[in-house]
Amino acid sequence: MMKISFKKYSLLLLSLNCFFAFAQEKENRTKYFPHKEEKVVTIPNKSKVWVFMMAGQSNMEGRGLVEPQDTIANNRILTINSNNELVLAKEPIHFSTPAYRGLDCGMSFANELLKSIPKDVVILLLPTAVGGSPIEKWIKDLPHRKINLYSNFKEKLELGKRYGTIKAVLWHQGESDANKDGISNRDQNLKMLFASFRKDIGNEKLPILIGEIGSFSKEPELWAEINKANYKYIQDDKYADIVETADLKDKGDKVHFDGESQREMGKRFAAKYIEKFYK
C-alpha cells in the first residue's frame, strides 16, 4: 500500500479545500443568473432609443452578487448578448469575462432613468468594461484579457448608432491606475480618452459621467488621489461630472462594490444624468 507523507497529505487537503471553496463561490455567484435569454423580436424605432455606453474596469463590469430582483426584464430596457444581438436586459449585463461577471449598475441605472424620461423611450445599455484595464490600454487600444479595449468600444458604439442615439458614457475606472504614474498622468489621459469617445460618437458635447472609485481600498490615499484627479478634470470639461460613492461598501475584498452599492450607484448615475444633462 502506497504511503503519503504528512506534508503531501496536507497539501492535498489544502488543494481539495480550495477546489471546493472555489466551486461554492461560483455556485453562489451564479445562483440567480437568468437561464433564459429573451431576444428582441421587434426592433424599436431608432428615434426612440437612448443608448448608454458602459465603460471602464471591474466595478463597471460588475462583481456584485446578482439577486432575483436584478433579473426582472422590462421591454424598455435592452442590451446585447455576446453575438451582438438585441436582448431584454437582465443582470449580469457584461459578458467579456465569464469567470468573474456579476452585478453591475446597468439595470438600476436604467430603471431609475425610466422614472424621468418620456414613456415611449427605450434604453439600450452597451457593455464595454473589462476588469483590471488601465486607462492607457484604452487610449492605445491594447489588449486586456484578450480584448482590444478601444476597438471593442468602437464596435459597440457602432451598434448604438445603428439602433438609436448615444446619450452618454458611464465611466468607472481608476483602480488599476492608483500609482504614481497613473495619478500624475490622470488628467491628460482622461482628456485624450474622452476626446476620442466624443470624436468617434460624433458629439463634442457628449455627457460623460465618472464614478468615484471606492473609499474602502487597502491603499486609500492612492485611490483618493485618483478621485481628486477626476474632480480636477471636470473643472475644465462642462460636459462631464462625478458620481459620488464615498459612502458605498465593498463586498469584502477591499476592491469591488457589493450588490447593494452597485444598485445605489446605478441610481446615482441616473440622478446625475437627469440633473446635469437631461433637458
Side-chain angles (χ1 to χ4, degrees):
M1 183 176 178
M2 184 177 66
K3 293 184 178 180
I4 302 177
S5 69
F6 178 77
K7 183 177 181 181
K8 288 183 177 178
Y9 175 77
S10 298
L11 289 173
L12 177 62
L13 189 62
L14 179 61
S15 297
L16 286 172
N17 286 337
C18 289
F19 171 78
F20 287 120
F22 175 79
Q24 182 65 44
E25 181 181 357
K26 181 181 179 182
E27 181 181 353
N28 291 338
R29 181 175 64 84
T30 62
K31 182 177 181 180
Y32 294 114
F33 280 22
H35 298 293
K36 181 182 178 182
E37 180 181 86
E38 298 181 65
K39 292 183 181 179
V40 176
V41 178
T42 303
I43 306 298
N45 187 301
K46 183 176 179 178
S47 66
K48 299 298 183 180
V49 178
W50 291 11
V51 183
F52 294 88
M53 309 292 297
M54 301 175 67
Q57 57 181 113
S58 59
N59 274 314
M60 179 57 74
E61 188 179 20
R63 297 292 185 264
L65 185 64
V66 174
E67 297 180 19
Q69 62 180 301
D70 307 309
T71 63
I72 300 172
N74 185 318
N75 289 332
R76 293 177 63 201
I77 306 175
L78 311 180
T79 188
I80 55 172
N81 62 17
S82 58
N83 295 319
N84 288 338
E85 299 169 311
L86 286 184
V87 296
L88 297 187
K90 302 174 186 178
E91 294 287 357
I93 290 174
H94 282 79
F95 47 78
S96 294
T97 53
Y100 304 105
R101 65 195 300 232
L103 180 70
D104 61 39
C105 65
M107 283 298 287
S108 63
F109 166 78
N111 277 308
E112 187 70 16
L113 199 61
L114 289 181
K115 299 175 183 178
S116 301
I117 64 177
K119 301 297 183 184
D120 59 348
V121 167
V122 173
I123 294 171
L124 173 57
L125 302 170
L126 293 180
T128 70
V130 180
S133 53
I135 194 170
E136 286 197 358
K137 284 192 173 184
W138 282 81
I139 293 168
K140 297 176 181 178
D141 193 24
L142 295 175
H144 189 80
R145 293 183 172 167
K146 300 182 180 180
I147 297 169
N148 284 76
L149 297 168
Y150 201 80
S151 291
N152 180 59
F153 180 87
K154 285 185 69 174
E155 177 187 88
K156 302 303 187 292
L157 76 84
E158 290 304 323
L159 282 175
K161 290 178 181 179
R162 182 195 308 172
Y163 291 119
T165 301
I166 299 176
K167 304 295 283 189
V169 174
L170 312 184
W171 174 257
H172 196 289
Q173 188 276 342
E175 297 91 342
S176 292
D177 296 311
N179 53 62
K180 182 179 178 181
D181 289 340
I183 292 166
S184 62
N185 295 324
R186 186 69 177 176
D187 188 65
Q188 186 60 31
N189 283 338
L190 289 174
K191 286 178 181 177
M192 287 191 288
L193 182 62
F194 291 175
S196 294
F197 283 169
R198 288 170 172 145
K199 178 182 177 182
D200 289 322
I201 290 170
N203 181 359
E204 294 180 353
K205 300 179 180 180
L206 180 81
I208 299 177
L209 301 178
I210 306 168
E212 286 184 332
I213 61 175
S215 59
F216 38 67
S217 171
K218 293 178 181 177
E219 298 178 322
E221 295 84 4
L222 293 176
W223 285 31
E225 287 299 316
I226 288 288
N227 285 331
K228 187 184 296 184
N230 289 341
Y231 275 98
K232 179 179 182 296
Y233 170 79
I234 68 167
Q235 292 176 8
D236 298 318
D237 185 346
K238 62 182 179 180
Y239 302 110
D241 210 336
I242 302 288
V243 172
E244 297 178 356
T245 68
D247 59 322
L248 301 185
K249 299 176 182 178
D250 71 299
K251 66 175 195 173
D253 62 1
K254 302 296 183 182
V255 178
H256 300 109
F257 293 103
D258 64 10
E260 183 180 353
S261 295
Q262 280 284 1
R263 294 183 198 97
E264 177 59 29
M265 185 159 63
K267 293 176 182 178
R268 293 180 186 183
F269 268 108
K272 182 65 69 171
Y273 178 79
I274 293 297
E275 171 197 343
K276 187 77 181 281
F277 302 112
Y278 179 59
K279 297 179 177 62

